[in-house]
Amino acid sequence: MFQSKLFLRLFMTYILVIFSYMILCIAFLLYKNHQISEMQEKRRSEIQLVEVSSIVEQRMMTAQNIVQNLSYSTIMKQLYMNTKTGEILDSYALFSIQNEMKNTMASSGLSIYKTVLFVEDSEKAYSSGGVIALTDSYTPLEQELPCIMVNTVNGAFQLNSTKRYSFNKDCLLYCDAYTYQNGSDIGTICILFDLKSLSNDILKVLGDDYGARILYQDDVIFACGEETDKMYESESVKMPGLIYRIYAPEGAASGMDYFFYITLLGIVVISVVFLGLAFMVSRKYYMPIDRLEQMISTNQNTSADEMEKIICGIQDLIGEKNRYREKMLTITPYAKTGMLHSMIAGNAEADNVGKFLDENYLDLIRPYFIVSVVNFAYDGTPDLREESHKREIEELFRSVTDIFSTDEVHIVYYFRDIYNVFLITNFETEQEMDDLFYQIHRYVSTAKSNSYVTMGVDVLRDDIGELKQACEGALKALDGILTEGRESVYFLEDTEERGAAYYFPANFREKLKHCLLKQDKEEIHKLLFDIYKTNLDIEGMSEMYRSLIDEFHLSVMKTLREITELNTVHLNIKKYTGLATLQEIFDYYDAALLSVIDTLHEQAEQVEEDSRLEEDIAEYIDAHYCDENLSMQSLTSRFNVSNKYLSLLCKERFGVTYLQYIQSRRIGKAAELLREKNYSLTEIGEMCGYTNQLTFRRNFKSIMGVNPSVYQKKSE
């Protein structure tokens, strides 16, 4: 039928009309879709502009509230008065100031990095973290307040003396005047917002495609993404001179939505229906001519029986070809529809899996397959946005399947997570495929030069029902990283004869505890290196090394619990999880134990400093208890401690209150002088710190049970 020119001309006429209709519909659809995309892009950009501005506006409003609260705080007013009068603030007042600033920050409901207060004519700055001494007095900012900028505190206020981390960290600074009750400026309050937090909040709103600029007084203080011709702008309602700009990506309005694809599918379906109708109409009008041709050919050349055999043979051939094409299926469609994921996870229903296996959809033409897994590792902890990273990986493995798939070998991939991708190699004859995996490894390593690429390869299999076991075998093969390192290809091997036991010192916990208490870092290096090197030379199975790591971590944690019972500081080390070399694991624990030593050292220094301070206070009290000017206030000013600290110190050291201890020492001294009989009662009272004789007599009788005069007579 299709060999007839008449039939072809008739059928092609219908096809030309149908395709012209389809092209016109698609052109109109593209035009409408472009208009809709532009409207959506504009609306999305305006929404993102509002969200970006609200992120910054919230910070500005929070900063203004903090400035207002601190300016009207009575505690902060007292700070200014003490600064003006030159009166030294006691530790309780400093604690109250610091606590006031912390409470003000906390009440804002927003995470703020630091609040710093500069007071006129003061060589100190006050922050939520404590008092900072300055070399020179505070110098006001040159900018008109309030203002914002991206700078360090040192850079903004031209400070050179302080080495505080918070003063040298680039932040978004909000500075405003610190005012007194009469409205006069008496200093500057500086609110520090973390730039990374601000950037993360804005990037979450924008995504990877859009760009943003935040300007203050025409200077860019924040930028991300690229500038394009499509710009949307708004001004701040909280901060004059603050402008927000959003840049839409080029081609953002050219995307296709679901409505476009559904409509396009409808056009194609309608066109196919019309093609079917065109074929039926063409066949209907061509049928008489076709019958005439058959009659002529039968009468002239071939008998009816022979023609029937030819027709049956052609039908059989076409039928076999169609069945062959139906069976020429690999696991590709099931990887795309999720069936592969279900089989790997073991969640597919048994009836469905059985149906696929019984129908031989997966293994009729290519009965053999090998599963491999490609693992990516990165230096440090890079910021991997899962969606963008997944798109990059999928693009890479689409190239892998296109390059390395052939007529004999078919490769599909399955994205497990951002660190692991399964490759399933399906082929027809049993053969060695090692070279193919090495080639894939070289290709992927070259394409992903910013990461360490390692491959684990399972054994050859011919039963698709073992797909889950094959995936587990590929992951198990990656355990070769433990001893052999990354950036290689590891094949699953038979390890039945490698049942070696790992080495672990019997007295490990005693040695580790001794090293930690002595704070001997060198010995810890040697102790861990001995375990690492000895076990590396054993060349055991991966299960052996996993058991070694489990016992090592358990022993470390038990040792830390013992040390914690001897100290007030809590010590803990998280267990190392994930895929890593044995050296990386031991390096992790080595660094963690060194951090524990640093913590113990800092605690010991603090304890020693506290003990030295307690000793100095006790010695001073014992040397000056007869001084009439000795008081808790004088002690707190001299040693920069609080009244509560002194009370607790006396309770713990002397077993009595501060006042009871002073009185007992003074009366004891008075009794000693009374026994010497060289001084009068008035002189003894003054020598023991009493300016009031009535108080002296009352305290003496309270402690000794008799009046001083009676005691003096009895001692005669």
Side-chain angles (χ1 to χ4, degrees), residues 10 18-19 107 126 142 186 357 414 430 494 498 602 609 626 677 679:
L10 185 62
I18 292 170
F19 273 89
S107 64
Y126 302 86
E142 296 179 356
I186 57 175
L357 299 180
Y414 170 67
E430 186 175 1
D494 184 7
R498 300 174 60 186
E602 291 174 1
E609 183 179 345
C626 287
K677 306 173 185 177
Y679 306 98

Side-chain angles (χ1 to χ4, degrees), residues 198-216:
L198 174 64
S199 177
N200 290 339
D201 291 347
I202 293 177
L203 289 176
K204 286 179 183 177
V205 172
L206 294 179
D208 297 328
D209 301 325
Y210 281 72
R213 300 289 186 273
I214 300 176
L215 297 86
Y216 179 71

Side-chain angles (χ1 to χ4, degrees), residues 622-639:
D622 288 339
H624 299 84
Y625 65 87
C626 287
D627 187 351
E628 63 182 34
N629 295 319
L630 183 68
S631 65
M632 289 192 73
Q633 185 63 36
S634 64
L635 289 173
T636 56
S637 299
R638 182 180 184 84
F639 294 99

